Amino acid sequence: MSLWRSKSSKVAMLEKVPLFKGLSRRQLDLIARLADELEVPAGERLAKAGATGHELFIIVDGQASVTTRNGRKVRLGPGEFFGEMSLLDGGPRSATVEAATPMRLLVLGHREFWSLLNTTPPLTGKIMRALSQRVRDAEAAVTA
Ligand code: CMP
């Protein structure tokens, strides 16, 4: 894993991430300060089902493969995120997540994640909507 961009160009990059669309310049500055940037090769494991989770990952480029505990596979791409569940409830990782391609990501630690949720309501709303959708999809997969 390695850092991939100087701090100075972070905000310009953040503006292109769909999850951050519509946020103010001040809010983007805050995210730029809180998030670390990461580049990983294909095959890198970013979360392990059952393990303690410490970070939220936001995909800038590339694809991640999520394998849920019942073996279902879900692909996530640019603008999507993962790792929020453990940070929200303190429980173990619900799925294993690996880089399916080389990836560039933003990473927020537990404290930074909560700081953003508390100060950026539009982002909180987007994360809650995506989480809601994930529950619906999982329910549909179980009952299919
Ligand atoms: P967390 O449980 O912290 O770590 C594994 C992550 O995989 C989880 O957070 C979600 O971000 C993601 N994840 C788990 N289940 C699904 C799903 N059904 N669809 C998309 N992403 C998922």
Side-chain angles (χ1 to χ4, degrees), residues 1-3 38-49 55 57 59 61-67 76 82 95-105 107:
M1 295 193 186
S2 62
L3 295 178
L38 193 65
E39 189 171 272
V40 297
E44 183 97 12
R45 191 171 65 191
L46 296 159
K48 183 178 179 229
E55 308 100 353
F57 297 89
I59 303 173
D61 279 322
Q63 299 276 324
S65 172
V66 178
T67 307
L76 299 176
F82 57 90
T96 293
V97 186
E98 290 172 341
T101 66
M103 296 183 77
R104 290 191 300 164
L105 305 124
V107 187

Side-chain angles (χ1 to χ4, degrees), residues 81 121-134 136:
F81 58 85
L123 187 64
T124 307
K126 286 183 186 195
I127 289 174
M128 288 175 71
R129 273 193 293 281
L131 190 52
S132 215
Q133 191 62 55
R134 282 175 189 175
R136 287 181 198 281

Side-chain angles (χ1 to χ4, degrees), residues 47 53 55-56 66 68 72 74 76 81-87 91-97 131 134-135 137-138:
E55 308 100 353
L56 169 83
V66 178
T68 65
R72 196 163 71 92
V74 180
L76 299 176
F81 58 85
F82 57 90
E84 77 292 351
M85 291 172 66
S86 291
L87 296 192
R93 293 295 196 201
S94 60
T96 293
V97 186
L131 190 52
R134 282 175 189 175
V135 173
D137 290 349

Side-chain angles (χ1 to χ4, degrees), residues 14-82:
L14 289 174
E15 282 171 341
K16 298 190 193 116
V17 177
L19 182 64
F20 302 137
K21 199 168 160 20
L23 298 189
S24 68
R25 175 65 197 225
R26 219 175 112 254
Q27 289 167 328
L28 290 176
D29 281 344
L30 176 65
I31 296 169
R33 258 191 292 123
L34 296 178
D36 286 327
E37 298 153 286
L38 193 65
E39 189 171 272
V40 297
E44 183 97 12
R45 191 171 65 191
L46 296 159
K48 183 178 179 229
T52 304
H54 299 288
E55 308 100 353
L56 169 83
F57 297 89
I58 298 152
I59 303 173
V60 176
D61 279 322
Q63 299 276 324
S65 172
V66 178
T67 307
T68 65
R69 293 192 111 169
N70 60 11
R72 196 163 71 92
K73 292 213 185 268
V74 180
R75 277 282 179 133
L76 299 176
E80 296 185 289
F81 58 85
F82 57 90

